[in-house]
Amino acid sequence: MLQPAPGPRQVRVPLSRERVLLGAVAVADAGGISGLTIRSLAQELGVKPMAVYHYVANKSEILDGIVDVVFAEIDLPPRDGNWQNEIRQGAASARAALRRHPWALGLLESRETPGPATLRHHDTMIGTLRAAGFSVEMTAHAYAVIDSYVYGFALQEATLPFDGPEAVTDVAEPIMGGFEPDQYPHLTEMATDFIIQPGYDFGNEFEIGLNLILDALTSSLPATDGGDQPAGAKNRSSRTRTPPR
């Protein structure tokens, strides 16, 4: 009697620390940090919970590891001599990573055991500011401001009640319908004349705000030997979009 031909043999991917951490990221992406447990991670990996402990000691080590995974996704811009462009590229890449992994918003700066990707990211961004001519103290101030802006904007994007420019009007118009225009005249003006107009995209505010910060930081650079213009001021002309004056 003929036996049915065996089906294709599935190759089992060996468990490793990298696979455990990527699995943890997948669990967090699907259900947030609250849904990440050793049991849910083991289920994602298709193994018994005890197998996970061969690669990580506890959940705290998992959190350290997945934070480093997210930092590894943030591009380190090449040094091109234009510090504003370098910071802008790094900030845009960080925002994109946080949009992919919104659960990371409350974790990126909270860990006490940073991994190599985390340290490399911080060192590169600090190096960019130092190479631009900022003092050590001013570099610390600038980095704090830039980080706060990127994380704050990403948090606001993640919690907005609409997703994408197409949904703005659907959310804004019912809110405006709940009060008379003269009750909140400035809010009404902004909403009707700008926010619900075709082409509005809240995401565009990111670049405008970042440009304002970078311009303000430029004014704190020491003047060049050839005049009163701060070093790096020429970088303003490289912006792709100029904030309204």
Side-chain angles (χ1 to χ4, degrees):
M1 182 176 179
L2 294 176
Q3 296 294 325
R9 189 176 180 182
Q10 291 187 344
V11 179
R12 186 179 180 83
V13 179
L15 205 57
S16 64
R17 179 179 171 83
E18 180 183 13
R19 188 177 163 218
V20 167
L21 294 179
L22 292 177
V25 169
V27 173
D29 285 346
I33 287 297
S34 61
L36 176 58
T37 64
I38 296 296
R39 185 173 297 277
S40 64
L41 175 54
Q43 185 176 1
E44 170 72 21
L45 297 169
V47 300
K48 293 184 181 300
M50 288 304 299
V52 175
Y53 288 109
H54 288 290
Y55 302 94
V56 290
N58 47 43
K59 185 173 179 178
S60 181
E61 187 174 331
I62 292 173
L63 295 180
D64 288 340
I66 62 177
V67 162
D68 211 49
V69 169
V70 174
F71 268 111
E73 293 184 12
I74 300 175
D75 296 332
L76 299 178
R79 294 285 177 85
D80 63 4
N82 186 321
W83 72 272
Q84 284 199 2
N85 276 349
E86 292 170 30
I87 294 294
R88 191 178 290 111
Q89 290 178 51
S93 183
R95 174 195 172 201
L98 290 170
R99 293 187 72 178
R100 291 191 297 270
H101 311 294
W103 51 265
L105 278 164
L107 280 179
L108 286 195
E109 302 298 338
S110 70
R111 309 311 298 165
E112 296 181 0
T113 312
T118 304
L119 296 173
R120 187 163 52 247
H121 168 83
H122 292 329
D123 187 71
T124 299
M125 299 299 278
I126 290 170
T128 294
L129 292 168
R130 291 288 288 135
F134 291 99
S135 67
V136 173
E137 181 180 356
M138 194 61 208
T139 292
H141 299 330
Y143 197 16
V145 169
I146 293 166
D147 258 10
S148 298
Y149 176 71
V150 173
Y151 295 154
F153 194 93
L155 176 62
Q156 191 169 12
E157 277 191 301
T159 55
L160 284 172
F162 56 84
D163 184 16
E166 297 81 9
V168 174
T169 301
D170 295 337
V171 173
E173 287 187 340
I175 294 175
M176 294 170 57
F179 55 82
E180 295 298 324
D182 58 355
Q183 192 173 359
Y184 305 106
H186 306 300
L187 180 60
T188 300
E189 177 187 44
M190 178 178 287
T192 57
D193 293 356
F194 184 57
I195 292 177
I196 64 174
Q197 292 297 313
Y200 173 79
D201 185 348
F202 176 77
N204 292 336
E205 306 295 346
F206 180 77
E207 186 178 351
I208 294 174
L210 185 59
N211 285 337
L212 291 171
I213 290 172
L214 296 179
D215 277 352
L217 289 174
T218 297
S219 67
S220 69
L221 283 169
T224 63
D225 294 337
D228 297 330
Q229 187 181 38
K234 62 181 180 179
N235 292 337
R236 296 178 181 178
S237 63
S238 66
R239 295 199 303 265
T240 57
R241 182 172 178 178
T242 303
R245 300 294 181 186

